[in-house]
Amino acid sequence: MSVTVKDVEHVAKLARLEFSETEKEVLTHELNEILGYIEKLNELDTTNVEPLSHVIELSNVVRDDVVRQSASAEEMLQNAPDRTEKFFRVPKVIGER
Amino acid sequence: MQDFFIPSSLIIQEKCCLNDFEALHTQLIAGETSCEKITQAYLRRIEQKKNLHAFLHVFADEAAERARTVDRKLADGTAGPLAGMVIAVKDVICMKGHPVTCGSRMLENFISPYDATVIQRLDAADAVVIGKTNMDEFAMGSSTENSAFGVTLNPMDESRVPGGSSGGSAVAVAASMATTALGSDTGGSIRQPAALCGVVGLKPTYGRVSRYGLVAFASSFDQIGSFGSTVRDVAYVLQTIAGHDPCDSTSADLSVPDYLKALTGDVKGLRVGIPTEYFTSALEAEISGPIMQKVDLLKRHGASIKEISLPHSEYTIATYYILSTAEASSNLARYDGARYGRRAPGVKDLLEMYTQSRSEGFGNEVKRRIMLGTYVLSAGYYEAYYRKGQKVRRLIKQDFDRAFQEVDCLITPTSPTSAFKIG
């Protein structure tokens, strides 16, 4: 399994990142190198091993459904790059294209 | 760099002032100093050692004000257990009304709307936060060279790195700019800079300390811990910040032991494990030598030493690469330019806003890790990489479970080398 520039472009699109042609070349090389190293894990037979997502194995943690004080809309809008009244403003979502 | 004149008497006074926490606290209770004096001494020290670039933000006025409040509480007899402790906080932990940049252009202008649980607990115990420290961007790195705001220098040798990602916090303690410091550790980010700067650093067990208000890198690994000049100082901080928090459902609902009481100095009967895989020929003698001296010391004081094996050690880095980058790619998806953080100017639609904002806001190392993480989670590769990594994670954990049936603790090197040159 070897990563190509095309793969890098695909993954970049998924990650919402953009790279120059030179950066893509570099990333292709780096990803291949890291993935080559990761291949090492295939030396291990893990057929009957359960995946572990967390070192402390937790089941669902629930709490009582009671109303608690939370931050105001105004506080949450303090870091907004752009806003209008009580809303975050973003560029047009439904465009002509 | 001699901006102001410091009389030699003051330097001596400051030396005794900038002490470990227990010494400071004793002086404070005896009325020999005040919290404000201690805080001012640290502030002067930060100014003197500015070139190390340990801090991204220093809260001079606010820290002095807080110190005066602590002094009033001391006079009233109502001061908390950490009165006299001046603490530096890695710039990845939220403090209401203060920046939390994570060493990234992405969050350059972000102001925390709330306090992390650890900050609330330190406040309640009357510690004084003096400022926020430099770090590798989003805690990704082991040299603090990946900060968007410049490198931090190792105070022992300014041509060398302090380690990372919590490099600023390690330096703050190593250069006496704070009594203790908070850091975060995902894959060594407290332990390694502590080792490279010659201070004590502790990554508590996952779940011991609430992560509420810690900006996430890899959520199943991230943990807040502390730096200090002594083990006891680190224990004081842990005592305050440890314990269950309803705001972090992964914090363990277990009672917190008395750490200070546990530090008796008595090691008789302690079963110490030496994992053979960690002491290969590749390890430099300057690292293995001193460790073995300490092992001998423990032995002389009655500890039993046992060689043990952690057979999956050679797979840990590969596993960590997969799992930590996968979690990071998911966690860092939140930086989309919509609600907070950097938004690229002049974008014409939503997709361009996401892509431009992220491409401008993140540095190269962060982008590289997001790319790897996205790749290992993508359709067609999820099983081969991410699932495989999770399975090997269990095998690694089982190694430790087995080891801890035979021994009480393990001794390992923290880093295979001492501090390396910048660049």
Side-chain angles (χ1 to χ4, degrees):
Chain A
M1 253 187 302
S2 169
V3 178
T4 62
V5 172
K6 241 184 149 46
D7 294 327
V8 166
E9 285 169 350
H10 171 66
V11 174
K13 206 174 139 204
L14 293 176
R16 301 288 185 259
L17 289 171
E18 210 168 58
F19 298 101
S20 70
E21 295 306 316
T22 331
E23 286 173 323
K24 283 181 209 167
E25 293 286 339
V26 174
L27 270 169
T28 306
H29 174 76
E30 285 173 344
L31 284 182
N32 273 317
E33 215 162 85
I34 300 170
L35 292 169
Y37 176 71
I38 286 172
E39 295 291 324
K40 189 177 172 54
L41 296 189
N42 292 328
E43 294 168 9
L44 294 169
D45 179 8
T46 51
T47 327
N48 295 314
V49 182
E50 272 294 300
L52 177 71
S53 52
H54 233 261
V55 282
I56 352 176
E57 289 178 76
L58 294 158
S59 50
N60 275 344
V61 178
V62 294
R63 64 170 172 83
D64 292 335
D65 188 15
V66 286
V67 177
R68 289 185 309 180
Q69 184 69 39
S70 58
S72 67
E74 190 48 43
E75 280 177 282
M76 286 300 114
L77 281 158
Q78 287 302 306
N79 285 297
D82 194 8
R83 61 178 286 191
T84 166
E85 295 161 45
K86 276 168 90 175
F87 303 98
F88 295 103
R89 181 157 47 192
V90 295
K92 216 168 185 180
V93 178
I94 305 164
E96 293 91 68
R97 330 195 262 168
Chain B
M1 271 301 294
Q2 199 66 1
D3 289 329
F4 42 83
F5 173 71
I6 308 163
S8 60
S9 63
L10 189 60
I11 293 174
I12 294 162
Q13 195 191 330
E14 299 220 328
K15 256 202 147 52
C16 78
C17 223
L18 304 178
N19 226 322
D20 62 83
F21 172 63
E22 276 191 323
L24 284 174
H25 194 73
T26 311
Q27 289 173 324
L28 202 56
I29 297 301
E32 292 163 18
T33 185
S34 69
C35 190
E36 192 184 1
K37 277 186 196 160
I38 295 168
T39 305
Q40 294 294 359
Y42 282 120
L43 286 169
R44 281 193 295 274
R45 183 79 183 158
I46 290 171
E47 189 58 36
Q48 279 175 318
K49 290 281 169 188
K50 228 175 175 171
N51 71 310
L52 298 176
H53 196 234
F55 285 84
L56 293 176
H57 327 281
V58 178
F59 311 140
D61 297 340
E62 190 186 340
E65 181 56 44
R66 274 283 296 151
R68 284 191 287 276
T69 306
V70 175
D71 283 330
R72 278 194 295 277
K73 290 169 95 172
L74 279 161
D76 293 349
T78 57
L82 297 188
M85 180 182 286
V86 174
I87 189 162
V89 174
K90 185 179 184 182
D91 207 21
V92 70
I93 296 170
C94 292
M95 279 180 72
K96 191 175 173 135
H98 293 288
V100 55
T101 65
C102 299
S104 181
R105 294 276 172 220
M106 183 59 87
L107 292 175
E108 199 168 3
N109 300 310
F110 183 83
I111 302 294
S112 307
Y114 66 95
D115 274 330
T117 298
V118 291
I119 297 296
Q120 291 171 27
R121 291 187 179 178
L122 287 170
D123 271 348
D126 283 332
V128 172
V129 176
I130 200 161
K132 308 283 297 282
T133 57
N134 197 17
M135 56 184 281
D136 286 305
E137 186 176 1
F138 285 104
M140 297 176 184
S142 51
S143 67
T144 316
E145 294 169 294
N146 290 334
S147 166
F149 307 109
V151 300
T152 295
L153 314 182
N154 192 316
M156 312 290 163
D157 175 348
E158 295 182 6
S159 70
R160 290 173 191 275
V161 303
S165 67
S166 314
S169 286
V171 172
V173 172
S176 299
M177 297 187 268
T179 330
T180 57
L182 288 186
S184 65
D185 190 319
T186 304
S189 280
I190 291 173
R191 294 161 287 171
Q192 185 257 15
L196 268 49
C197 290
V199 296
V200 181
L202 174 75
K203 179 185 193 182
T205 303
Y206 186 86
R208 185 81 277 183
V209 178
S210 167
R211 292 182 296 112
Y212 181 70
L214 168 68
V215 179
F217 159 16
S219 307
S220 81
F221 297 90
D222 295 345
Q223 192 64 188
I224 295 174
S226 63
F227 295 88
S229 54
T230 67
V231 172
R232 291 185 68 81
D233 281 5
V234 168
Y236 274 102
V237 177
L238 184 61
Q239 200 74 56
T240 303
I241 64 174
H244 181 247
D245 174 17
C247 292
D248 174 6
S249 56
T250 64
S251 66
D253 200 358
L254 297 169
S255 62
V256 177
D258 189 330
Y259 297 115
L260 287 146
K261 213 177 241 172
L263 291 173
T264 56
D266 182 12
V267 295
K268 201 162 283 163
L270 186 74
R271 301 171 304 166
V272 179
I274 311 283
T276 49
E277 290 83 1
Y278 284 64
F279 291 86
T280 62
S281 52
L283 192 63
E284 288 180 11
E286 71 163 343
I287 306 288
S288 58
I291 295 175
M292 285 311 168
Q293 281 173 17
K294 294 294 178 202
V295 170
D296 280 342
L297 185 73
L298 287 169
K299 210 174 183 171
R300 283 205 302 280
H301 284 82
S304 66
I305 311 293
K306 187 172 184 182
E307 275 199 1
I308 57 120
S309 174
L310 298 170
H312 295 93
S313 294
E314 60 177 308
Y315 302 102
T316 53
I317 295 174
T319 306
Y320 176 75
Y321 274 169
I322 296 174
L323 300 180
S324 67
T325 57
E327 291 186 23
S329 73
S330 168
N331 273 325
L332 272 62
R334 74 189 64 181
Y335 302 103
D336 56 8
R339 293 144 300 147
Y340 51 81
R342 186 182 182 87
R343 180 185 296 183
V347 289
K348 61 177 190 306
D349 60 23
L350 209 55
L351 186 62
E352 199 180 298
M353 177 185 83
Y354 297 150
T355 308
Q356 289 301 320
S357 304
R358 290 167 63 77
S359 299
E360 288 177 17
F362 292 136
N364 285 338
E365 181 61 24
V366 173
K367 286 182 196 167
R368 187 162 34 238
R369 295 202 197 191
I370 291 175
M371 287 292 287
L372 178 61
T374 307
Y375 182 81
V376 300
L377 287 174
S378 65
Y381 300 104
Y382 181 88
E383 285 293 327
Y385 292 112
Y386 186 67
R387 259 295 185 260
K388 183 79 184 181
Q390 285 191 310
K391 289 179 168 196
V392 180
R393 187 180 197 182
R394 181 174 299 278
L395 295 176
I396 294 166
K397 179 176 183 283
Q398 286 170 348
D399 281 358
F400 283 89
D401 289 342
R402 268 192 294 272
F404 287 126
Q405 280 173 6
E406 293 180 56
V407 295
D408 301 308
C409 60
L410 300 172
I411 289 188
T412 72
T414 306
S415 161
T417 64
S418 54
F420 42 93
K421 292 271 184 192
I422 291 169

